[in-house]
């Protein structure tokens, strides 16, 4: 299956009104960065393999894009700046199989109205090129002009005629940064094309032809310098994807490097971004995010970009299949990562005194209790109580561990974390321990954080009654839910520690009845269970240490369901077992 777009050159025409009306309308150019987006899209659609962007004075003074694409004829130039003039679609049906980045025929016409627009262009096969100047929505010049094959578009003096709009712009340095981000977003999914960025005359970015992961590394050198980037692939009916990701150790404090591209456009699709976040969540400290770039190619018939004027959203019909496959591919990668690093660690003898210090204070408070019992570990009888329910006779009743660092020796049966500590080995149930860890983090975190995109959900009348009743009860926990209209609600904010369990929260809101306390218990147990690392999953040693350190400091080391977290065997017991002592 090939999902590579095939765009062919066609003459420009002005769309019939009936087609033009079907196109999501809205402001196309509201700041320099949106002009950059539209111009780079045009160069990419014209099959260019070399594209240079020049930004001067924050893009307010001028934006220029030079490409080596297929260019425009004199007739194309005459039409290109008119509203709804496009070579990319002709009919309504074309809207359902869009291969190009542009299709609305509005960018150049918008620019012609808000800036001084000059276009030099020459198709490779034509003798001479032409120059078009449009100013204040009026054609000023269209004349033969010597230029090389390709197109040079210059938009200068942005919003010269719209002082109100101009006032809304930020300082030039901020606008420049926005232009740079747009440039990188455009260049990322096209590693087979060369991009250059010049800011105020100086080349600040050169992105040569490369592989996808090299392109990510070139685009974000500071963020990716210290991590190995992995490229994963997956596919299913009507879609294929590539994921460029750092190892779980390269987590970030924000979602800036959790990016999604669908058919080479950056979009914000909550459910697809969420599956990445969720799959990573059991490998990352709470409140942190992976460095992960997701590039999905979806059959154009399955996706509709004609719902947002800047094409930042899309309606995707096979989201569920795609989510499932992404989660599988990422999970198996993460598992393999965990296993490999564990193997190498068995020789290294990683000790707790080598405390991981890469966590910032904020993450640390969420991730582990701030001050694990000073001076070592508690001397309570819990170490034996954890064993009370285990009736295996080979397990010795426990004594009090002394405060020495423990050694994490790796994972056993895909479930137990094996720990050597003084004269005992401990087998800690990773799921139960992580569950307890998350549960306690939930109790401490009740600061609501607004969701990037509210999670909307439908309810039947019975559910609606329960949601209405539960809404004020969960508010003190930091969970905010709002009615949009009868039958339709949205989850709008929740504490960072709850992230990744949005669907559980919605289910509980719809189904649970009871007091605030009952609701809270149910919510916490369900979220912790959902987010905790599962039986059979690999775990990275850093996370294993954090969880172990936490649970070893507890007064009552039991999971939220009351089960013990570990079993232990003494050295003596083992020696007896092989009859070294009697
Ligand atoms: P759209 O991209 O939605 O078609 P635009 O207003 O951005 O609308 O551009 C109008 C038309 O001008 C495009 O359809 C294309 O044919 C032509 N065009 C614009 N920029 C270029 C370019 N850099 N190279 C070749 N053709 C271009
Ligand atoms: Mg365009």
């Amino acid at each position: 299956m090939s999902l590579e777009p095939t765009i062919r050159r066609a003459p420009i025409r002005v769309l019939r009104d009936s087609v033009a009306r079907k196109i999501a309308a809205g402001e196309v150019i509201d700041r320099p960065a949106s002009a950059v987006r539209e111009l780079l899209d045009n160069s990419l659609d014209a099959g260019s393999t070399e594209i240079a962007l020049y930004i001067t004075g924050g893009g307010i003074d001028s934006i220029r894009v030079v490409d080596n694409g297929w260019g425009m004829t004199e007739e194309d130039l005459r039409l290109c700046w008119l509203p709804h003039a496009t070579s990319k679609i002709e009919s309504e049906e074309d809207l359902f199989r869009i291969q190009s980045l542009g299709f609305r025929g509005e960018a150049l016409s918008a620019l012609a109205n808000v800036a001084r627009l000059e276009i030099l262009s020459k198709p490779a096969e034509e003798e001479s090129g032409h120059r078009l100047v449009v100013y204040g929505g009026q054609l000023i010049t269209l004349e033969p002009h010597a230029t090389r094959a390709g197109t040079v578009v210059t938009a200068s003096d942005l919003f010269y005629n719209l002082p109100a709009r101009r006032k809304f712009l930020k300082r030039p340095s901020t606008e420049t940064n926005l232009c740079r981000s747009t440039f990188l977003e455009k260049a990322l999914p096209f590693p087979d094309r060369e991009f250059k960025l010049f800011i105020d005359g100086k080349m600040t970015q050169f992105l040569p032809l490369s592989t996808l992961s090299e392109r990510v590394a070139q685009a974000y050198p500071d963020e990716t310098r210290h991590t190995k980037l992995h490229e994963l692939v997956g596919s299913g009916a009507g879609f294929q994807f590539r994921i460029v990701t750092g190892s779980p150790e390269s987590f970030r404090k924000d979602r800036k490097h959790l990016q999604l591209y669908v058919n080479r456009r950056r979009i914000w699709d909550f459910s697809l971004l969420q599956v990445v976040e969720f799959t990573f969540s059991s490998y990352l400290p709470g409140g942190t995010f992976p460095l992960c770039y997701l590039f999905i190619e979806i059959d154009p018939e399955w996706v509709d970009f004609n719902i947002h004027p800047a094409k930042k959203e899309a309606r995707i019909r096979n989201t569920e299949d795609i989510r499932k496959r992404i989660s599988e591919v990422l999970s198996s990668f993460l598992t393999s990562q965990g296993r490999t690093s564990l193997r190498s660690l068995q020789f290294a003898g990683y000790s707790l005194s080598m405390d991981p210090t890469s966590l910032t204070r904020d993450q640390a408070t969420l991730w582990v209790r701030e001050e694990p019992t000073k001076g070592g570990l508690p001397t309570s009888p819990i170490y034996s109580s954890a064993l009370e329910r285990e009736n295996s006779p080979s397990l010795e009743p426990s004594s009090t561990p002394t405060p020495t660092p423990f050694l994490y020796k790796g994972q056993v049966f895909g479930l137990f974390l094996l720990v050597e500590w003084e004269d005992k080995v401990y087998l800690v149930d990773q799921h139960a321990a992580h569950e307890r860890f998350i549960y306690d983090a939930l109790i401490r975190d009740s600061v609501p954080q607004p969701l990037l995109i509210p999670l909307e959900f439908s309810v039947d009348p019975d559910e609606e009654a329960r949601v209405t009743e539960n809404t004020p009860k969960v508010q003190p926990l930091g969970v905010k839910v709002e009615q949009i209209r009868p039958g339709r609600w949205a989850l709008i904010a929740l504490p960072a520690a709850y992230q990744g369990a949005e669907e559980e929260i919605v289910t509980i809101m719809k189904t649970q009845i009871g007091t605030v306390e009952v609701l809270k218990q149910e919510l916490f147990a369900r979220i912790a269970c959902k987010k905790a690392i599962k039986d059979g999953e690999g775990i990275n040693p850093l996370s294993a240490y954090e969880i172990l350190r936490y649970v070893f400091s507890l007064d009552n080391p039991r999971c939220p369901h009351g089960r013990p977290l570990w079993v232990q065997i003494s050295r003596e017991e083992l020696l007896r077992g092989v009859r070294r002592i009697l």
Side-chain angles (χ1 to χ4, degrees):
M1 171 190 59
S2 171
L3 293 170
E4 286 292 305
T6 44
I7 313 171
R8 262 174 231 101
R9 186 173 163 201
I12 298 182
R13 290 173 231 242
V14 175
L15 291 175
R16 276 176 281 129
D17 268 3
S18 60
V19 182
R21 275 197 301 271
K22 297 270 161 31
I23 291 174
E27 265 323 308
V28 194
I29 311 290
D30 58 353
R31 62 179 346 124
S34 44
V36 165
R37 179 192 68 224
E38 295 296 327
L39 295 180
L40 292 176
D41 277 356
N42 282 348
S43 294
L44 288 163
D45 281 345
S48 314
T49 53
E50 288 168 25
I51 299 173
L53 168 67
Y54 298 77
I55 299 293
T56 313
I60 305 161
D61 293 349
S62 103
I63 299 167
R64 169 173 294 169
V65 175
V66 180
D67 72 42
N68 67 347
W70 56 50
M72 284 180 273
T73 62
E74 181 180 8
E75 198 43 35
D76 288 336
L77 284 170
R78 192 186 308 284
L79 295 173
C80 71
W81 62 280
L82 299 173
H84 304 304
T86 179
S87 57
K88 298 170 194 172
I89 62 166
E90 273 184 55
S91 64
E92 227 172 280
E93 293 79 65
D94 294 341
L95 283 171
F96 300 103
R97 41 168 183 264
I98 289 165
Q99 305 257 15
S100 51
L101 296 167
F103 57 84
R104 305 170 0 122
E106 291 208 314
L108 292 185
S109 104
L111 269 176
N113 280 296
V114 301
R116 179 182 156 85
L117 184 66
E118 182 196 59
I119 305 180
L120 311 178
S121 195
K122 181 175 106 65
E125 69 283 2
E126 305 231 335
E127 285 278 296
S128 93
H130 287 84
R131 171 170 176 263
L132 168 81
V133 179
V134 190
Y135 198 38
Q138 298 287 318
L139 189 144
I140 310 292
T141 314
L142 178 57
E143 60 189 6
H145 194 274
T147 179
R148 51 168 212 157
T151 303
V152 182
V153 181
T154 311
S156 32
D157 214 1
L158 201 63
F159 304 135
Y160 70 96
N161 52 353
L162 293 167
R165 187 87 57 89
R166 202 160 168 154
K167 258 208 310 246
F168 267 104
L169 298 181
K170 302 261 163 46
R171 281 178 300 140
S173 59
T174 311
E175 295 295 339
T176 297
N177 283 335
L178 292 168
C179 291
R180 183 192 293 114
S181 307
T182 303
F183 169 84
L184 293 175
E185 280 173 20
K186 287 293 152 194
L188 230 49
F190 291 94
D192 55 340
R193 327 244 187 141
E194 179 192 288
F195 290 80
K196 288 178 186 153
L197 172 63
F198 294 82
I199 292 177
D200 297 320
K202 243 183 64 196
M203 184 161 82
T204 62
Q205 208 111 31
F206 172 52
L207 306 173
L209 306 191
S210 60
T211 65
L212 192 57
S213 51
E214 283 164 2
R215 176 57 57 91
V216 170
Q218 295 155 4
Y220 300 106
D222 294 343
E223 293 84 348
T224 55
R225 188 167 296 134
H226 300 295
T227 182
K228 178 172 166 10
L229 290 178
H230 303 263
E231 209 171 313
L232 318 172
V233 295
S235 60
F239 70 88
Q240 57 194 30
F241 59 80
R242 286 178 180 277
I243 299 175
V244 175
T245 181
S247 49
E249 288 77 20
S250 55
F251 53 79
R252 313 256 326 158
K253 273 188 290 182
D254 54 40
R255 292 188 175 86
K256 226 181 107 197
H257 294 274
L258 177 54
Q259 300 188 359
L260 167 66
Y261 294 80
V262 170
N263 294 1
R264 305 184 184 208
R265 290 187 182 89
R266 174 140 190 222
I267 64 162
W268 280 261
D269 180 286
F270 179 69
S271 65
L272 291 171
L273 286 168
Q274 192 204 29
V275 73
V276 175
E277 228 178 86
F278 174 70
T279 312
F280 265 97
S281 64
S282 49
Y283 294 82
L284 298 184
T288 66
F289 305 96
L291 186 137
C292 188
Y293 296 81
L294 185 56
F295 301 90
I296 314 179
E297 295 292 322
I298 305 177
D299 186 331
E301 309 215 346
W302 289 81
V303 53
D304 182 4
F305 283 99
N306 187 24
I307 57 172
H308 188 283
K311 309 178 190 95
K312 284 186 179 173
E313 288 167 25
R315 204 173 286 129
I316 300 166
R317 280 197 280 155
N318 47 350
T319 310
E320 262 323 299
D321 286 359
I322 302 175
R323 272 171 65 100
K324 206 164 140 257
R325 197 66 198 111
I326 290 172
S327 153
E328 285 165 7
V329 167
L330 269 181
S331 301
S332 79
F333 161 73
L334 288 166
T335 311
S336 76
Q337 284 289 295
R339 295 247 156 92
T340 328
S341 30
L342 282 177
R343 229 174 284 138
S344 58
L345 265 163
Q346 283 177 344
F347 304 99
Y350 204 130
S351 101
L352 186 66
S353 50
M354 295 155 54
D355 233 351
T357 48
S358 53
L359 298 175
T360 67
R361 204 168 166 282
D362 269 7
Q363 292 154 0
T365 45
L366 200 70
W367 184 227
V368 283
R369 184 182 272 180
E370 229 178 324
E371 285 291 300
T373 324
K374 274 257 170 58
L377 291 139
T379 52
S380 66
I382 49 105
Y383 293 97
S384 53
S385 71
L387 282 175
E388 277 162 15
R389 295 209 191 160
E390 304 294 329
N391 42 19
S392 160
S394 68
L395 296 172
E396 197 196 56
S398 112
S399 59
T400 308
T402 44
T404 48
F406 62 82
L407 281 172
Y408 168 59
K409 308 293 269 187
Q411 198 194 38
V412 183
F413 300 134
L415 170 63
F416 292 103
L417 306 178
L418 179 64
V419 174
E420 179 187 337
W421 190 5
E422 290 276 279
D423 58 347
K424 291 192 186 65
V425 292
Y426 294 79
L427 290 152
V428 180
D429 177 333
Q430 64 175 29
H431 174 72
H434 194 202
E435 219 177 12
R436 172 66 192 264
F437 183 101
I438 295 168
Y439 188 90
D440 291 0
L442 292 169
I443 292 175
R444 289 191 302 272
D445 189 5
S446 59
V447 184
Q449 310 242 346
L451 286 177
L452 208 60
I453 302 169
L455 176 66
E456 291 193 18
F457 57 95
S458 297
V459 288
D460 63 31
D462 285 350
E463 291 170 342
E464 182 138 58
R466 284 190 290 268
V467 175
T468 310
E469 199 177 304
N470 288 337
T471 298
K473 293 185 198 164
V474 295
Q475 176 126 19
L477 305 175
V479 176
K480 289 197 178 157
V481 179
E482 227 173 54
Q483 190 187 40
I484 303 171
R485 56 172 185 274
R488 191 86 181 147
W489 288 67
L491 178 62
I492 56 170
L494 41 96
Y498 294 45
Q499 273 161 19
E502 289 79 358
E503 279 161 22
E504 272 61 30
I505 298 171
V506 168
T507 308
I508 288 170
M509 294 291 292
K510 284 187 192 174
T511 54
Q512 204 66 32
I513 29 175
T515 63
V516 177
E517 208 41 46
V518 167
L519 213 60
K520 184 167 134 184
Q521 288 304 323
E522 181 63 21
L523 197 62
F524 285 9
R526 289 272 283 270
I527 297 175
C529 184
K530 164 97 197 246
K531 289 182 71 166
I533 185 166
K534 301 285 173 321
D535 182 354
E537 276 184 290
I539 181 167
N540 79 52
L542 197 72
S543 307
Y545 261 107
E546 294 294 344
I547 294 170
L548 289 168
R549 187 166 62 153
Y550 183 69
V551 295
F552 282 151
S553 77
L554 292 171
D555 292 340
N556 175 20
R558 288 176 179 275
C559 80
H561 316 288
R563 288 187 288 111
L565 299 181
W566 60 73
V567 291
Q568 64 190 58
I569 311 171
S570 72
R571 184 166 178 271
E572 200 188 320
E573 187 72 22
L574 291 169
L575 291 174
R576 265 188 227 291
V578 295
R579 303 279 184 274
R580 279 179 179 267
I581 55 171
L582 296 170

